[in-house]
Coordinates of all heavy atoms in Angstrom, one line a residue:
M28 N 9.0 -10.3 21.0 CA 8.8 -8.9 20.7 C 10.2 -8.3 20.6 O 11.1 -8.5 21.3 CB 8.1 -8.3 21.9 CG 8.0 -6.8 21.8 SD 6.9 -6.0 23.0 CE 8.1 -5.6 24.3
N29 N 10.4 -7.5 19.5 CA 11.6 -6.8 19.2 C 11.5 -5.4 19.6 O 10.8 -4.6 19.0 CB 12.0 -6.9 17.8 CG 13.4 -6.4 17.5 OD1 14.0 -5.9 18.4 ND2 13.8 -6.5 16.2
A30 N 12.1 -5.0 20.7 CA 12.0 -3.6 21.2 C 13.2 -2.7 20.8 O 13.3 -1.6 21.2 CB 12.0 -3.6 22.7
R31 N 14.0 -3.3 19.9 CA 15.2 -2.5 19.5 C 14.7 -1.4 18.4 O 13.9 -1.7 17.5 CB 16.2 -3.3 18.8 CG 16.8 -4.3 19.8 CD 18.0 -5.0 19.2 NE 19.1 -4.0 19.2 CZ 20.3 -4.3 19.3 NH1 20.7 -5.6 19.2 NH2 21.3 -3.4 19.3
P32 N 15.2 -0.2 18.6 CA 14.8 0.8 17.6 C 15.3 0.5 16.2 O 16.4 -0.1 16.0 CB 15.4 2.1 18.1 CG 15.7 1.8 19.6 CD 15.9 0.4 19.7
V33 N 14.5 0.9 15.2 CA 14.8 0.7 13.8 C 14.9 2.1 13.2 O 14.0 2.9 13.4 CB 13.7 -0.1 13.1 CG1 14.1 -0.3 11.6 CG2 13.6 -1.5 13.7
K34 N 16.0 2.3 12.5 CA 16.2 3.7 11.9 C 15.6 3.7 10.5 O 15.8 2.8 9.7 CB 17.7 3.9 11.8 CG 18.1 5.3 11.4 CD 19.6 5.6 11.3 CE 20.1 5.7 12.8 NZ 21.4 6.2 12.8
H35 N 14.9 4.8 10.2 CA 14.3 5.1 8.9 C 14.6 6.5 8.6 O 14.7 7.4 9.4 CB 12.8 4.9 8.9 CG 12.3 3.5 9.1 ND1 12.2 2.7 8.0 CD2 12.0 2.7 10.1 CE1 11.8 1.5 8.4 NE2 11.7 1.5 9.7
S36 N 14.7 6.8 7.3 CA 14.9 8.2 6.8 C 13.6 8.8 6.5 O 12.7 8.2 6.0 CB 15.8 8.2 5.5 OG 17.0 7.7 5.8
L37 N 13.5 10.1 6.9 CA 12.3 10.9 6.6 C 12.8 12.2 5.9 O 13.9 12.6 6.1 CB 11.5 11.3 7.8 CG 10.9 10.2 8.6 CD1 10.4 10.7 10.0 CD2 9.7 9.6 7.8
T38 N 11.9 12.8 5.1 CA 12.2 14.1 4.6 C 11.3 15.2 5.2 O 10.1 15.1 5.1 CB 12.1 14.1 3.0 OG1 12.9 13.1 2.5 CG2 12.5 15.4 2.4
L39 N 11.9 16.1 5.9 CA 11.2 17.2 6.5 C 11.6 18.5 5.9 O 12.7 18.9 5.9 CB 11.5 17.2 8.0 CG 11.3 15.9 8.8 CD1 11.7 16.1 10.2 CD2 9.8 15.5 8.7
R40 N 10.6 19.2 5.2 CA 10.8 20.4 4.6 C 12.1 20.4 3.6 O 12.9 21.3 3.7 CB 10.9 21.6 5.6 CG 9.6 21.8 6.3 CD 9.7 22.9 7.3 NE 10.8 22.7 8.3 CZ 10.7 22.0 9.4 NH1 9.6 21.4 9.7 NH2 11.7 21.9 10.3
G41 N 12.2 19.3 2.9 CA 13.2 19.2 1.9 C 14.6 18.7 2.4 O 15.5 18.5 1.7
H42 N 14.6 18.4 3.7 CA 15.9 17.9 4.3 C 15.7 16.4 4.8 O 14.7 16.2 5.5 CB 16.3 18.8 5.5 CG 16.6 20.2 5.1 ND1 17.8 20.5 4.4 CD2 15.9 21.3 5.2 CE1 17.7 21.8 4.1 NE2 16.6 22.3 4.6
R43 N 16.7 15.6 4.5 CA 16.6 14.2 5.0 C 17.1 14.1 6.4 O 18.0 14.8 6.8 CB 17.5 13.3 4.1 CG 17.1 13.2 2.7 CD 15.9 12.4 2.4 NE 16.1 11.0 2.5 CZ 15.2 10.1 2.5 NH1 13.9 10.5 2.4 NH2 15.4 8.8 2.6
T44 N 16.4 13.3 7.2 CA 16.8 13.1 8.6 C 16.5 11.6 8.9 O 15.6 11.0 8.3 CB 16.1 14.0 9.6 OG1 16.7 13.9 10.8 CG2 14.6 13.8 9.6
S45 N 17.2 11.1 9.9 CA 17.0 9.7 10.3 C 16.3 9.7 11.7 O 16.6 10.5 12.5 CB 18.3 8.9 10.4 OG 18.9 8.8 9.2
V46 N 15.3 8.8 11.8 CA 14.6 8.7 13.1 C 14.6 7.2 13.5 O 14.3 6.3 12.7 CB 13.1 9.2 12.9 CG1 12.4 9.0 14.2 CG2 13.1 10.6 12.5
S47 N 15.0 7.0 14.7 CA 15.0 5.6 15.2 C 13.8 5.4 16.2 O 13.7 6.1 17.2 CB 16.3 5.3 16.0 OG 17.4 5.3 15.1
L48 N 12.9 4.5 15.8 CA 11.7 4.1 16.6 C 11.6 2.6 16.6 O 12.0 1.9 15.7 CB 10.5 4.7 15.9 CG 10.3 6.1 15.8 CD1 9.0 6.5 15.0 CD2 10.2 6.8 17.2
E49 N 11.0 2.1 17.7 CA 10.7 0.7 17.8 C 9.7 0.3 16.7 O 8.9 1.2 16.3 CB 10.2 0.4 19.2 CG 11.2 0.6 20.3 CD 11.5 2.0 20.6 OE1 10.7 2.9 20.2 OE2 12.5 2.2 21.3
H50 N 9.7 -0.9 16.3 CA 8.8 -1.4 15.2 C 7.4 -1.1 15.4 O 6.7 -0.6 14.5 CB 9.0 -2.9 15.0 CG 8.2 -3.5 13.9 ND1 8.4 -3.2 12.6 CD2 7.0 -4.2 14.0 CE1 7.4 -3.8 11.9 NE2 6.6 -4.5 12.7
I51 N 6.9 -1.3 16.7 CA 5.5 -1.0 17.0 C 5.1 0.4 16.8 O 4.0 0.8 16.3 CB 5.1 -1.5 18.4 CG1 3.6 -1.5 18.6 CG2 5.8 -0.7 19.5 CD1 2.9 -2.6 18.1
F52 N 6.0 1.4 17.1 CA 5.8 2.8 16.8 C 5.8 3.1 15.3 O 4.9 3.9 14.9 CB 6.8 3.7 17.6 CG 6.5 3.8 19.1 CD1 7.2 3.0 20.0 CD2 5.5 4.6 19.5 CE1 6.9 3.1 21.3 CE2 5.2 4.6 20.9 CZ 5.9 3.9 21.8
W53 N 6.7 2.5 14.6 CA 6.6 2.7 13.1 C 5.3 2.2 12.5 O 4.7 2.9 11.7 CB 7.8 2.0 12.4 CG 9.1 2.7 12.5 CD1 10.2 2.3 13.1 CD2 9.4 4.0 12.0 NE1 11.2 3.3 12.9 CE2 10.7 4.3 12.3 CE3 8.6 5.0 11.3 CZ2 11.3 5.6 11.9 CZ3 9.3 6.2 10.9 CH2 10.6 6.5 11.2
Q54 N 4.9 1.0 13.0 CA 3.6 0.5 12.5 C 2.5 1.4 12.8 O 1.7 1.7 11.9 CB 3.3 -0.8 13.2 CG 3.7 -2.1 12.5 CD 3.3 -3.3 13.3 OE1 3.3 -3.3 14.5 NE2 2.7 -4.3 12.6
E55 N 2.4 1.9 14.0 CA 1.2 2.8 14.4 C 1.4 4.1 13.7 O 0.3 4.7 13.3 CB 1.2 2.9 15.9 CG 0.6 1.7 16.6 CD -0.9 1.4 16.1 OE1 -1.8 2.3 16.3 OE2 -1.1 0.4 15.4
F56 N 2.6 4.6 13.6 CA 2.8 5.9 12.9 C 2.3 5.9 11.5 O 1.6 6.7 11.0 CB 4.3 6.3 13.0 CG 4.6 7.7 12.6 CD1 3.8 8.8 13.0 CD2 5.7 8.0 11.8 CE1 4.1 10.1 12.6 CE2 6.0 9.3 11.4 CZ 5.2 10.3 11.8
R57 N 2.7 4.8 10.8 CA 2.2 4.6 9.4 C 0.7 4.5 9.3 O 0.0 5.0 8.4 CB 2.9 3.4 8.8 CG 4.3 3.6 8.4 CD 4.9 2.3 7.7 NE 6.3 2.5 7.5 CZ 7.2 1.8 8.2 NH1 6.9 0.9 9.1 NH2 8.5 2.0 8.0
R58 N 0.1 3.7 10.3 CA -1.3 3.5 10.3 C -2.1 4.8 10.5 O -3.0 5.1 9.8 CB -1.7 2.5 11.4 CG -3.2 2.2 11.4 CD -3.6 1.5 12.7 NE -3.4 2.3 13.9 CZ -4.2 3.3 14.2 NH1 -5.3 3.6 13.5 NH2 -4.0 4.0 15.4
I59 N -1.6 5.7 11.4 CA -2.2 7.0 11.6 C -2.1 7.8 10.4 O -3.1 8.5 10.0 CB -1.5 7.6 12.9 CG1 -1.8 6.9 14.1 CG2 -2.0 9.1 13.0 CD1 -1.0 7.2 15.3
A60 N -1.0 7.9 9.8 CA -0.8 8.7 8.6 C -1.8 8.2 7.5 O -2.5 9.0 6.8 CB 0.7 8.6 8.1
R61 N -1.9 6.9 7.3 CA -2.8 6.3 6.3 C -4.2 6.7 6.6 O -5.0 7.1 5.7 CB -2.6 4.8 6.3 CG -2.4 4.2 5.0 CD -2.3 2.7 4.9 NE -2.5 1.9 6.2 CZ -1.5 1.5 6.9 NH1 -0.2 1.7 6.6 NH2 -1.7 0.8 8.1
E62 N -4.6 6.5 7.9 CA -5.9 6.8 8.3 C -6.3 8.3 8.1 O -7.5 8.6 7.8 CB -6.0 6.5 9.8 CG -7.4 6.3 10.3 CD -7.4 5.8 11.8 OE1 -7.2 6.6 12.7 OE2 -7.5 4.6 12.0
R63 N -5.3 9.2 8.2 CA -5.6 10.6 8.0 C -5.4 11.0 6.6 O -5.6 12.2 6.3 CB -4.7 11.4 8.9 CG -5.0 11.2 10.4 CD -4.1 12.0 11.3 NE -4.5 11.7 12.7 CZ -4.1 12.5 13.7 NH1 -3.3 13.5 13.5 NH2 -4.5 12.2 14.9
G64 N -5.0 10.1 5.7 CA -4.8 10.4 4.3 C -3.5 11.3 4.1 O -3.5 12.1 3.2
L65 N -2.5 11.2 5.0 CA -1.3 12.0 4.9 C -0.1 11.2 4.5 O 0.0 10.0 5.0 CB -1.0 12.7 6.2 CG -2.1 13.7 6.8 CD1 -1.7 14.1 8.2 CD2 -2.2 14.9 5.8
A66 N 0.8 11.7 3.8 CA 2.1 11.1 3.6 C 2.8 11.1 4.9 O 2.7 12.0 5.7 CB 2.9 11.9 2.5
L67 N 3.6 10.0 5.2 CA 4.3 9.9 6.4 C 5.2 11.1 6.7 O 5.3 11.6 7.8 CB 5.1 8.6 6.4 CG 5.7 8.1 7.7 CD1 4.6 7.8 8.7 CD2 6.6 6.9 7.5
N68 N 5.9 11.6 5.6 CA 6.8 12.7 5.7 C 6.0 14.0 6.2 O 6.5 14.8 6.9 CB 7.6 13.0 4.4 CG 8.6 11.9 4.2 OD1 9.2 11.4 5.1 ND2 8.9 11.7 2.9
L69 N 4.8 14.1 5.6 CA 4.0 15.3 6.0 C 3.6 15.3 7.5 O 3.7 16.2 8.2 CB 2.8 15.4 5.1 CG 1.9 16.6 5.4 CD1 2.6 17.9 5.3 CD2 0.7 16.6 4.4
L70 N 3.1 14.1 7.9 CA 2.8 13.9 9.3 C 4.0 14.2 10.2 O 3.9 14.9 11.2 CB 2.1 12.6 9.6 CG 1.6 12.3 11.0 CD1 0.6 13.4 11.4 CD2 1.0 10.9 11.1
A71 N 5.1 13.6 9.8 CA 6.3 13.9 10.6 C 6.7 15.4 10.6 O 7.1 15.9 11.7 CB 7.5 13.1 10.0
A72 N 6.5 16.1 9.5 CA 6.8 17.5 9.5 C 5.9 18.3 10.4 O 6.3 19.2 11.0 CB 6.7 18.0 8.0
Q73 N 4.6 17.9 10.5 CA 3.7 18.5 11.4 C 4.1 18.3 12.8 O 4.0 19.3 13.6 CB 2.2 18.0 11.1 CG 1.6 18.4 9.8 CD 0.3 17.7 9.6 OE1 -0.2 16.9 10.4 NE2 -0.3 18.0 8.4
I74 N 4.5 17.1 13.2 CA 4.9 16.9 14.5 C 6.2 17.7 14.8 O 6.4 18.3 15.9 CB 5.2 15.4 14.7 CG1 3.8 14.6 14.6 CG2 5.9 15.1 16.0 CD1 3.9 13.1 14.5
D75 N 7.1 17.7 13.8 CA 8.4 18.4 14.0 C 8.2 19.9 14.2 O 8.8 20.5 15.1 CB 9.2 18.2 12.7 CG 10.6 18.9 12.8 OD1 11.3 18.6 13.8 OD2 10.9 19.6 11.9
A76 N 7.2 20.5 13.6 CA 6.9 21.9 13.7 C 6.4 22.3 15.1 O 6.6 23.5 15.4 CB 5.9 22.3 12.6
R77 N 5.9 21.4 15.8 CA 5.3 21.7 17.1 C 6.0 21.0 18.3 O 5.6 21.1 19.4 CB 3.8 21.5 17.2 CG 3.4 20.1 17.0 CD 1.9 20.0 17.2 NE 1.5 18.6 17.2 CZ 0.9 18.0 16.2 NH1 0.5 18.6 15.2 NH2 0.6 16.7 16.4
R78 N 7.2 20.4 18.0 CA 7.8 19.6 19.1 C 8.6 20.4 20.1 O 9.0 19.8 21.1 CB 8.6 18.5 18.5 CG 9.9 18.9 17.8 CD 10.6 17.7 17.2 NE 11.6 18.2 16.2 CZ 12.9 18.2 16.5 NH1 13.3 17.8 17.7 NH2 13.7 18.6 15.6
G79 N 9.0 21.6 19.8 CA 9.8 22.4 20.7 C 11.2 21.8 20.8 O 11.8 21.4 19.8
D80 N 11.7 21.7 22.1 CA 13.1 21.2 22.3 C 13.1 19.7 22.5 O 14.2 19.2 22.9 CB 13.7 22.0 23.4 CG 13.1 21.8 24.7 OD1 12.0 21.2 24.8 OD2 13.6 22.2 25.7
V81 N 12.0 19.0 22.2 CA 12.0 17.5 22.4 C 12.5 16.9 21.1 O 12.3 17.4 20.0 CB 10.5 17.1 22.6 CG1 10.4 15.6 22.7 CG2 10.0 17.7 23.9
G82 N 13.3 15.8 21.2 CA 13.7 15.1 20.1 C 12.6 14.6 19.2 O 11.5 14.3 19.7
L83 N 12.9 14.5 17.9 CA 11.8 14.1 17.0 C 11.3 12.7 17.3 O 10.1 12.4 17.2 CB 12.3 14.2 15.5 CG 11.3 13.8 14.4 CD1 10.0 14.7 14.5 CD2 11.9 13.9 13.0
A84 N 12.2 11.7 17.5 CA 11.7 10.4 17.8 C 10.8 10.4 19.1 O 9.8 9.7 19.1 CB 12.9 9.4 18.0
S85 N 11.2 11.1 20.1 CA 10.3 11.2 21.3 C 9.0 11.8 21.0 O 8.0 11.4 21.5 CB 11.1 12.0 22.4 OG 12.2 11.3 22.8
A86 N 9.0 12.9 20.2 CA 7.8 13.6 19.8 C 6.9 12.6 19.0 O 5.6 12.6 19.3 CB 8.1 14.8 19.0
I87 N 7.4 11.8 18.2 CA 6.6 10.9 17.4 C 6.0 9.8 18.3 O 4.8 9.5 18.2 CB 7.4 10.2 16.3 CG1 7.7 11.3 15.2 CG2 6.6 9.0 15.7 CD1 8.7 10.8 14.1
R88 N 6.8 9.3 19.3 CA 6.3 8.3 20.2 C 5.1 8.9 21.0 O 4.1 8.2 21.2 CB 7.4 7.8 21.2 CG 8.4 6.9 20.6 CD 9.4 6.4 21.6 NE 10.5 5.7 21.0 CZ 11.6 6.2 20.7 NH1 11.9 7.5 21.0 NH2 12.6 5.5 20.2
V89 N 5.3 10.1 21.5 CA 4.2 10.7 22.3 C 3.0 10.9 21.5 O 1.9 10.7 21.9 CB 4.7 12.0 23.0 CG1 3.6 12.8 23.6 CG2 5.8 11.7 24.0
F90 N 3.2 11.4 20.2 CA 2.1 11.6 19.3 C 1.3 10.3 19.1 O 0.1 10.2 19.2 CB 2.6 12.1 18.0 CG 1.5 12.1 16.9 CD1 0.6 13.1 16.8 CD2 1.5 11.1 16.0 CE1 -0.4 13.1 15.8 CE2 0.5 11.1 15.0 CZ -0.4 12.1 14.9
V91 N 2.0 9.2 18.9 CA 1.4 7.9 18.6 C 0.6 7.4 19.9 O -0.5 7.0 19.8 CB 2.5 6.8 18.2 CG1 1.9 5.4 18.3 CG2 3.0 7.1 16.8
L92 N 1.3 7.6 21.0 CA 0.6 7.2 22.3 C -0.7 8.0 22.5 O -1.7 7.5 22.9 CB 1.5 7.3 23.5 CG 1.0 7.0 24.8 CD1 0.4 5.6 24.9 CD2 2.0 7.3 25.9
E93 N -0.5 9.4 22.4 CA -1.7 10.2 22.6 C -2.8 9.9 21.6 O -4.0 9.9 22.0 CB -1.3 11.7 22.4 CG -0.5 12.2 23.6 CD 0.0 13.6 23.4 OE1 0.0 14.2 22.3 OE2 0.4 14.2 24.4
T94 N -2.5 9.6 20.4 CA -3.5 9.2 19.4 C -4.2 7.9 19.8 O -5.4 7.8 19.7 CB -2.9 9.1 18.0 OG1 -2.3 10.4 17.6 CG2 -3.9 8.7 16.9
A95 N -3.4 7.0 20.2 CA -4.0 5.7 20.7 C -4.9 5.9 21.9 O -6.0 5.3 21.9 CB -2.9 4.7 21.0
L96 N -4.5 6.7 22.8 CA -5.3 7.0 24.0 C -6.6 7.7 23.6 O -7.7 7.4 24.2 CB -4.5 7.8 25.0 CG -3.4 7.1 25.7 CD1 -2.5 8.0 26.5 CD2 -3.9 5.9 26.5
Q97 N -6.5 8.6 22.7 CA -7.8 9.3 22.3 C -8.7 8.4 21.6 O -9.9 8.4 21.8 CB -7.4 10.5 21.3 CG -6.7 11.6 22.0 CD -6.2 12.7 21.0 OE1 -6.4 12.5 19.8 NE2 -5.6 13.7 21.5
Q98 N -8.2 7.5 20.8 CA -9.0 6.5 20.1 C -9.7 5.6 21.0 O -10.8 5.2 20.9 CB -8.2 5.7 19.0 CG -7.8 6.6 17.8 CD -6.9 5.9 16.9 OE1 -6.3 4.9 17.2 NE2 -6.8 6.5 15.7
D99 N -8.9 5.2 22.1 CA -9.5 4.3 23.1 C -10.7 5.0 23.8 O -11.7 4.3 24.2 CB -8.5 3.9 24.1 CG -7.6 2.7 23.6 OD1 -7.9 2.1 22.6 OD2 -6.6 2.4 24.3
Q100 N -10.5 6.3 24.1 CA -11.6 7.0 24.8 C -12.8 7.1 24.0 O -13.9 7.2 24.5 CB -11.1 8.4 25.2 CG -10.1 8.4 26.3 CD -9.5 9.8 26.5 OE1 -9.8 10.7 25.8 NE2 -8.7 9.9 27.6
H101 N -12.7 7.1 22.6 CA -13.9 7.2 21.8 C -14.4 5.9 21.3 O -15.4 5.9 20.5 CB -13.5 8.1 20.6 CG -13.1 9.5 20.9 ND1 -14.0 10.4 21.5 CD2 -11.9 10.2 20.9 CE1 -13.4 11.5 21.8 NE2 -12.1 11.4 21.4
D102 N -13.8 4.8 21.7 CA -14.2 3.5 21.3 C -15.2 2.9 22.2 O -14.9 2.6 23.4 CB -13.0 2.5 21.2 CG -13.3 1.2 20.6 OD1 -14.5 0.9 20.4 OD2 -12.4 0.4 20.3
P103 N -16.5 2.8 21.8 CA -17.5 2.3 22.8 C -17.4 0.9 23.1 O -18.0 0.4 24.1 CB -18.8 2.6 22.0 CG -18.4 2.6 20.5 CD -17.0 3.1 20.5
T104 N -16.5 0.1 22.4 CA -16.4 -1.3 22.8 C -15.4 -1.5 23.9 O -15.3 -2.6 24.4 CB -15.9 -2.1 21.5 OG1 -14.6 -1.7 21.2 CG2 -16.8 -2.0 20.4
Q105 N -14.7 -0.5 24.3 CA -13.7 -0.5 25.4 C -14.5 -0.6 26.7 O -15.5 0.1 26.9 CB -12.8 0.7 25.4 CG -11.9 0.7 24.3 CD -10.8 -0.4 24.3 OE1 -10.3 -0.7 25.3 NE2 -10.6 -1.0 23.1
T106 N -14.1 -1.4 27.6 CA -14.7 -1.5 29.0 C -13.8 -0.9 30.0 O -12.6 -1.0 29.9 CB -15.0 -3.0 29.4 OG1 -13.8 -3.7 29.3 CG2 -16.0 -3.6 28.5
P107 N -14.4 -0.2 31.0 CA -13.6 0.5 32.0 C -12.8 -0.5 32.9 O -13.1 -1.6 33.0 CB -14.6 1.3 32.8 CG -15.9 1.0 32.3 CD -15.8 0.1 31.1

């Protein structure tokens, strides 16, 4: 397992920025964007708009985790 963050560039409201996330978070972030029919940059911009004083990478990680937890709660195949 590679837990080292990987840096990628995103464009938020016309400005380029770099975000460093671990590979598993990039994978899930892309999957969520695809599942919602959104461009990755648009989903990142939505998260950026409501993140407050939290760093963008942290906000994306929390978003990915919260999304995964919500999906687990709605998955009837999960056992308690």
Side-chain angles (χ1 to χ4, degrees):
M28 176 170 92
N29 186 359
R31 297 189 76 154
V33 179
K34 189 179 285 194
H35 290 274
S36 294
L37 295 170
T38 302
L39 306 176
R40 294 181 304 277
H42 298 283
R43 298 287 285 170
T44 189
S45 293
V46 177
S47 294
L48 296 172
E49 294 75 12
H50 178 72
I51 190 80
F52 283 102
W53 280 118
Q54 263 186 318
E55 283 302 295
F56 190 43
R57 286 186 186 104
R58 184 191 64 75
I59 293 165
R61 228 182 5 260
E62 198 172 81
R63 294 180 180 194
L65 298 173
L67 194 64
N68 288 328
L69 179 56
L70 184 54
Q73 290 175 356
I74 294 167
D75 182 54
R77 62 177 189 251
R78 69 183 167 103
D80 62 351
V81 174
L83 181 57
S85 294
I87 291 172
R88 284 185 193 95
V89 169
F90 169 80
V91 167
L92 177 60
E93 288 176 343
T94 301
L96 291 172
Q97 288 172 0
Q98 289 173 343
D99 280 350
Q100 289 176 353
H101 297 296
D102 185 352
T104 64
Q105 295 292 320
T106 57

